[in-house]
Amino acid sequence: MEPIKLISVIGAGSPSPQAAGNAHEVGRLLAQRGYGVVCGGLGGVMQAASQGCSEAGGFVLGIVPGINASSANPYCTVVVPSGMGQARNLLVVLSGLGAIAVSGGAGTLSEIGHALKAGKPVISLGSWDLPGVAQAQDPAQAVDMILQAAG
Amino acid sequence: MEPIKLISVIGAGSPSPQAAGNAHEVGRLLAQRGYGVVCGGLGGVMQAASQGCSEAGGFVLGIVPGINASSANPYCTVVVPSGMGQARNLLVVLSGLGAIAVSGGAGTLSEIGHALKAGKPVISLGSWDLPGVAQAQDPAQAVDMILQAAG
Amino acid sequence: MEPIKLISVIGAGSPSPQAAGNAHEVGRLLAQRGYGVVCGGLGGVMQAASQGCSEAGGFVLGIVPGINASSANPYCTVVVPSGMGQARNLLVVLSGLGAIAVSGGAGTLSEIGHALKAGKPVISLGSWDLPGVAQAQDPAQAVDMILQAAG
Amino acid sequence: MEPIKLISVIGAGSPSPQAAGNAHEVGRLLAQRGYGVVCGGLGGVMQAASQGCSEAGGFVLGIVPGINASSANPYCTVVVPSGMGQARNLLVVLSGLGAIAVSGGAGTLSEIGHALKAGKPVISLGSWDLPGVAQAQDPAQAVDMILQAAG
């Protein structure tokens, strides 16, 4: 198979319906543009982005905290059971060319920190407002911005 | 995309020509049987198995020790730059349904230990001879054995 | 030896002289109060806090990113060479009862995220101003606050 | 405090009474010789070595797989809750100048592999019989051998 380029989608495990909808649309648009999604592989924003990407024919890599692949959401094409808990957050952002954060709390904050430390571009879609993180107004703009910065 | 099942291929970074040929054939046969390969993403056995799988149309996940995807061999479909050094050995074996070891030294030994600890079947093809590790005579037998145990 | 309770001191690798002085004083005060310091083991805020703690008779645990203990600053009592790069940030905050952040950039941000995710109190001394992170005016207040929250 | 040099003690989580006694004696002798113990922080060989070292006045570092320090055995001077599961095995061996293995199964095998890969000497006391691993007949010989190789 040809190499697949990934964008990290990070965010809340228990998002609002609007945030989940945004994550789904981000995943769909990335697939449409020829990119895959890498995420933490569980529910919420992770699952919505996985579903959006997968339903549009895209590739989804889920890097889950536990040792069992069965903990992943059903839209992952490939699952990496890291067995490393929150340390897997580092791998999620290192595996993408850049990251889109959709809402999210402390775990997402750790991922943004790791991404910025590694020199990856980060776009916030209703997520943390931090120096070095550009704000997008909607999923289409978030995808445009990350692909312009990292694609 | 449909979920892809992976088999871990582990082994020497600097194998003999015969071991490299065996790894290439293991990769090719796994692709032919509908499985992808997950490996440490670098050279030697890792690269040979990646090439064999990729050339036969299969999916290859390379989990490299460094933070840059560019360190991966060119046959990886997707690269996870773990940034975790040898700790990535754990992820390589957790990401497969089972592991085939093709020759290999101390790093391979750590992977076999992690695989057995996680309850994964391990087949040795000219690699370590240890309790709990079944010996295969050639690539075809190694692939048959791992798919029977884990497929 | 009796169990030793640790406080995480995180922050800039290349701090201003004032921030380095603050980190040194934080380390000194923690030792005086009977606590050890755990940090990333390298230079800057890490080294200043290590020195302050060590010179006051306290215990210092340095968890460095590389595989060699020799990369640690000379004030560490014990060095854990993690070999895990930035993933070691998670261990630095999990090993303390709480964290004091003294200035710092993206790496510190990842540590604050991991600490908050794990439910650890975090005090900022001229570091990130984030929800859930209390601000201290000087080293004495930072130490008082973290020991009240976590001690 | 002065720097403390550590020896890794690895081995079975559920050892025979004899193996537990051996681990206790290894810990005691290491403390007597001025060395601390680093181990996986849980029960069995880990706890026995921790107890032997601690009771003789030595320092014990326990690097546990979970995120809670409370999972450690009560003889640890300092606990690193890694939150990284079996990936913590790598840290256990990197933190010591060398390793003594007392019995043990697949987890111990992964630790021996990681230790050899990192160039650390490994002594087996009733543990795996592998190339590159020297066999000791009793705890005193194991301690002599590891301190000669690594001290």
Side-chain angles (χ1 to χ4, degrees):
Chain A
M1 291 176 61
E2 290 298 298
I4 301 172
K5 292 181 181 174
L6 305 179
I7 299 294
S8 309
V9 182
I10 58 180
S14 300
S16 69
Q18 189 195 351
N22 281 342
H24 186 279
E25 180 67 2
V26 162
R28 193 182 70 80
L29 291 169
L30 285 170
Q32 220 171 49
R33 302 279 285 267
Y35 289 80
V37 161
V38 54
C39 69
L42 301 180
V45 158
M46 296 171 270
Q47 176 160 340
S50 299
Q51 184 175 359
C53 181
S54 173
E55 289 177 352
F59 173 89
V60 178
L61 176 63
I63 307 179
V64 296
I67 63 167
N68 291 313
S70 59
S71 61
N73 73 62
Y75 304 101
C76 294
T77 316
V78 167
V79 178
V80 170
S82 72
M84 291 183 180
Q86 295 299 308
R88 72 82 150 81
N89 292 4
L90 174 60
L91 281 80
V92 169
V93 295
L94 289 179
S95 297
L97 297 171
I100 298 175
V102 184
S103 76
T108 305
L109 187 64
S110 75
E111 288 170 319
I112 293 173
H114 282 305
L116 295 175
K117 177 78 175 178
K120 306 273 185 183
V122 180
I123 308 296
S124 169
L125 181 58
S127 184
W128 292 87
D129 185 7
L130 296 164
V133 176
Q135 303 292 316
Q137 298 309 311
D138 55 47
Q141 191 186 19
V143 169
D144 280 346
M145 288 169 77
I146 200 67
L147 294 187
Q148 183 157 11
Chain B
M1 291 176 61
E2 289 300 298
I4 301 172
K5 292 181 181 174
L6 305 179
I7 299 294
S8 309
V9 182
I10 58 180
S14 301
S16 69
Q18 189 194 351
N22 281 343
H24 187 280
E25 181 68 0
V26 162
R28 192 182 71 80
L29 291 169
L30 285 170
Q32 221 171 48
R33 302 280 285 267
Y35 289 80
V37 162
V38 54
C39 69
L42 301 181
V45 159
M46 297 172 269
Q47 175 159 340
S50 299
Q51 184 175 0
C53 181
S54 174
E55 290 177 351
F59 172 90
V60 179
L61 176 63
I63 307 180
V64 296
I67 64 168
N68 291 313
S70 58
S71 62
N73 73 61
Y75 304 101
C76 294
T77 316
V78 166
V79 179
V80 170
S82 73
M84 290 182 180
Q86 295 299 307
R88 73 85 150 78
N89 293 5
L90 175 61
L91 281 79
V92 170
V93 295
L94 289 179
S95 298
L97 297 172
I100 298 175
V102 184
S103 76
T108 305
L109 186 64
S110 75
E111 287 169 320
I112 293 173
H114 283 306
L116 295 175
K117 177 77 175 178
K120 306 273 185 183
V122 180
I123 308 297
S124 169
L125 181 58
S127 184
W128 293 87
D129 185 7
L130 296 164
V133 176
Q135 303 291 317
Q137 298 309 313
D138 55 47
Q141 191 187 20
V143 169
D144 279 346
M145 288 169 77
I146 200 67
L147 294 187
Q148 182 157 11
Chain C
M1 293 175 59
E2 290 299 299
I4 302 172
K5 291 180 182 175
L6 305 179
I7 299 294
S8 309
V9 182
I10 59 180
S14 300
S16 69
Q18 189 195 350
N22 280 344
H24 187 280
E25 181 69 1
V26 163
R28 194 182 70 80
L29 291 169
L30 286 170
Q32 220 172 49
R33 302 280 285 267
Y35 289 80
V37 161
V38 55
C39 68
L42 302 180
V45 158
M46 296 171 269
Q47 176 160 340
S50 299
Q51 185 175 0
C53 180
S54 174
E55 289 177 352
F59 172 90
V60 178
L61 176 63
I63 306 179
V64 296
I67 64 168
N68 291 312
S70 59
S71 61
N73 74 61
Y75 305 101
C76 294
T77 315
V78 167
V79 178
V80 170
S82 72
M84 290 184 182
Q86 295 299 308
R88 72 86 149 81
N89 292 5
L90 174 61
L91 281 79
V92 169
V93 296
L94 289 180
S95 298
L97 297 171
I100 298 176
V102 183
S103 76
T108 305
L109 186 64
S110 74
E111 288 169 319
I112 293 173
H114 283 305
L116 295 175
K117 177 77 177 177
K120 306 274 185 183
V122 180
I123 308 297
S124 168
L125 182 57
S127 185
W128 293 87
D129 185 7
L130 296 164
V133 176
Q135 303 292 317
Q137 298 308 311
D138 56 48
Q141 191 187 17
V143 169
D144 280 346
M145 288 169 77
I146 200 67
L147 295 187
Q148 183 156 11
Chain D
M1 291 175 61
E2 290 300 299
I4 301 172
K5 290 179 183 175
L6 305 179
I7 300 294
S8 310
V9 182
I10 59 181
S14 301
S16 69
Q18 189 195 349
N22 281 343
H24 187 279
E25 181 67 1
V26 162
R28 193 183 70 79
L29 291 169
L30 285 170
Q32 220 172 50
R33 302 280 285 268
Y35 289 80
V37 162
V38 54
C39 68
L42 301 180
V45 159
M46 297 171 269
Q47 175 159 339
S50 299
Q51 184 175 359
C53 181
S54 174
E55 289 176 352
F59 172 89
V60 178
L61 176 63
I63 307 181
V64 295
I67 64 168
N68 291 312
S70 59
S71 60
N73 73 62
Y75 304 101
C76 294
T77 316
V78 166
V79 179
V80 169
S82 72
M84 290 183 181
Q86 295 300 308
R88 72 84 149 80
N89 292 5
L90 175 62
L91 282 80
V92 169
V93 295
L94 289 179
S95 298
L97 297 171
I100 298 175
V102 184
S103 75
T108 305
L109 186 65
S110 75
E111 288 169 319
I112 292 173
H114 283 306
L116 295 175
K117 176 79 176 177
K120 308 273 185 183
V122 180
I123 309 297
S124 168
L125 181 57
S127 185
W128 293 86
D129 185 7
L130 297 164
V133 175
Q135 303 291 317
Q137 298 309 312
D138 55 48
Q141 192 187 17
V143 169
D144 280 346
M145 288 169 77
I146 199 68
L147 295 187
Q148 184 157 8

